[in-house]
Amino acid sequence: MPAYIQKRRRRWYAVLEIPKALRRKFEGKSRFFQSLGTESQSEAEMLVLPVIARWKAELEAARTGNRGAVEDVIALALEFRQGRESDTPQYRDLRDSLIDDKARDLEWKNSELAETFFRIAHGQSVPLDRFVDDWLAGLQNEPKTKDMKKSDALRFAEEFEFSHRVDLRGVRTWAHKLSEGGLAPATVSRIISACRGYWDYLNRAGRIQNDSDPFERAVIRASTKSKSANETKRRPFADRDLLQVLQGAVSNEDTQLKNLIMLAIWTGCRIEEMCALNLNETLPDRFVIVDAKSSAGNRDVPIHSRLLPVVERLRHESTDGYLLSGLTQNKYGDRSNAIGKRFGRLRDNLGFDGRYVFHSIRKSVATEFENQGVPENVAADILGHEKKTLTYGTYSGGTSFEVKVQATEQLRFAALHGFDFS
C-alpha cells in the first residue's frame, strides 16, 4: 500500500500518524485523516502530496513552536501582490518572473507552501485571518454580535487558512464536522452565516475574486415539523409554574431575581429591557422602553395595578439610578447576563427542562392575553412585536395608552392570586 493513503470502502483517504509527544497539541488526536474525494489510486497518490506537506508543516510548527519561516513567505507574497497592483506592464512581467523563481525554489521544500505563495503573490488568494477586523469595522452590529462574528470568522480561517483552499465540498465537510463535534444546528448555522458574510466582504473589497458560493447548503435545515423539533420548542410557563418559580426565588432569598420575575409576569418585557430600566424611564403609570432591539420594541408599557407597590418599593430602594438596583454588568454593558444565569440555575433546581427559559415568562404573558381575548395588535404593541398586517403594521399609529392599560389589566394568572406582590 503506497505511503500516506488508505482505502475505506471505495474512496481513498490521506493518513498521517501524529507522534505521541505532539498529540496533546492536536487535541489528543493520534492521526490526521482526510478524504481525498476520489476512487482512483493514481489520482489519490497525487492529491495526497500537498495534504501531507501541510500536515508535516503543522507538525514541525508544533514541534519547534516556530512558524516564522511560513509567515515570512506569506509576508513576501503579500508584498509582491501589492507591487503588482501598481506596476506598469513592463515591471509586472519582471515581478512575475521573480515570483515564478521564488515559487520554484519553494517547490523543493514544500510544494503546498509554494502554491500558496504563488497564488497570494498573483492576487488569487489571501490569508483568511488578515481582514477580519476590516470586515467587522464596516458592520453596524452590537459589540457582542461583532465578537461572535469575529470568533466564527477566525474559526473559519483556522480551518482553511487561505482563500484558495475554500470550496463547496470542504465547507460542507467542515460544517458536518462542527455538527459531529457537538455544536447545536443553530450554532453551526450561525457560524456558516457569519463566514458567508466575511466571504462576501472579501469579494466586494477585491481581496479575492470568487463569485461562487462555497457555503451553499452547507447546513441542511431540519424540518420544523419533526417530532424532535416540537419536543425542543420553547414553552410558556403555566400559572402554577410561575408561582413555583416565584416561590423558588423567595426560598433562595434572591430578592433581585424575585423582583425581576414579578416585573416580567405583569409586563411581558424582555429581560434586558427590564434590567436596563432607569428611574427616569419609570413613570407613575408606565415604563418607557428605549433603545430596544427593534423599532417596535421602543414603547410605553403600562404598570399593572398589582405591580404598582413593587415599583414604588424598587424606586425607593434604588442606589444606582436603575429600577433593578445592584445588578452587575458584563463587558458589553449588559446588566441581565448574571441574573439570567441565576434564573437558569433556579429553573434547573426546580426540575424544569431546557424548553423553559426566562423568555418563557414573556410567552406566558402572550398566552394570557390571548386567553383573555385581548386583540393581537394590542398585545403586540404592549409586548413590542412587529405587526405584519398592512393596516396595523404600516398605516396605524399604534394602540393608545388607555387601550393598552385596559388590556394589561386583563392579565389575571389565577394561580398567583394569593401571592404577595409588594
Side-chain angles (χ1 to χ4, degrees), residues 235-237 242 245 260-266 268-269 343 357-367 413:
R235 302 287 181 85
F237 288 110
L242 293 175
V245 170
L260 177 64
I261 295 169
M262 289 191 295
L263 289 174
I265 287 172
W266 298 113
C269 287
F343 179 85
V357 294
F358 195 92
H359 202 79
S360 294
I361 302 177
R362 185 169 162 85
K363 286 178 171 284
S364 300
V365 175
T367 303
F413 299 114

Side-chain angles (χ1 to χ4, degrees), residues 180-294:
E180 290 291 300
L183 294 182
T187 302
V188 177
S189 294
R190 188 206 73 216
I191 292 171
I192 295 299
S193 176
C195 294
R196 176 184 277 116
Y198 180 44
W199 187 259
D200 289 344
Y201 163 79
L202 291 174
N203 269 300
R204 286 184 283 103
R207 307 293 189 185
I208 61 175
Q209 297 177 3
N210 189 332
D211 293 330
S212 65
D213 181 9
F215 304 94
E216 182 183 4
R217 291 178 59 80
V219 179
I220 305 300
R221 297 187 181 276
S223 172
T224 56
K225 296 182 179 180
S226 68
K227 180 179 179 181
S228 60
N230 290 330
E231 288 176 347
T232 57
K233 186 178 180 180
R234 289 179 177 177
R235 302 287 181 85
F237 288 110
D239 290 13
R240 61 183 181 278
D241 298 333
L242 293 175
L243 178 60
Q244 186 179 1
V245 170
L246 278 170
Q247 290 172 336
V250 172
S251 297
N252 290 345
E253 298 183 352
D254 193 338
T255 304
Q256 280 185 330
L257 185 55
K258 172 193 169 186
N259 292 333
L260 177 64
I261 295 169
M262 289 191 295
L263 289 174
I265 287 172
W266 298 113
T267 65
C269 287
R270 301 175 178 90
I271 185 172
E272 60 271 17
E273 293 172 344
M274 291 177 291
C275 291
L277 270 174
N278 61 51
L279 298 183
N280 291 332
E281 296 158 354
T282 306
L283 305 184
D285 61 348
R286 71 192 73 187
F287 298 125
V288 181
I289 307 297
V290 296
D291 197 25
K293 62 187 296 185
S294 68

Side-chain angles (χ1 to χ4, degrees), residues 377-389:
N377 63 297
V378 178
D381 281 339
I382 297 171
L383 295 172
H385 286 156
E386 296 283 353
K387 292 181 289 190
K388 303 300 183 183
T389 62

Side-chain angles (χ1 to χ4, degrees), residues 74-101:
I74 295 171
L76 179 61
L78 289 170
E79 287 181 15
F80 275 124
R81 173 180 177 141
Q82 186 176 8
R84 288 185 81 256
E85 292 172 352
S86 57
D87 277 345
T88 62
Q90 177 185 357
Y91 283 105
R92 179 170 293 184
D93 290 342
L94 176 60
R95 193 181 298 273
D96 285 350
S97 67
L98 293 174
I99 291 172
D100 293 344
D101 289 343

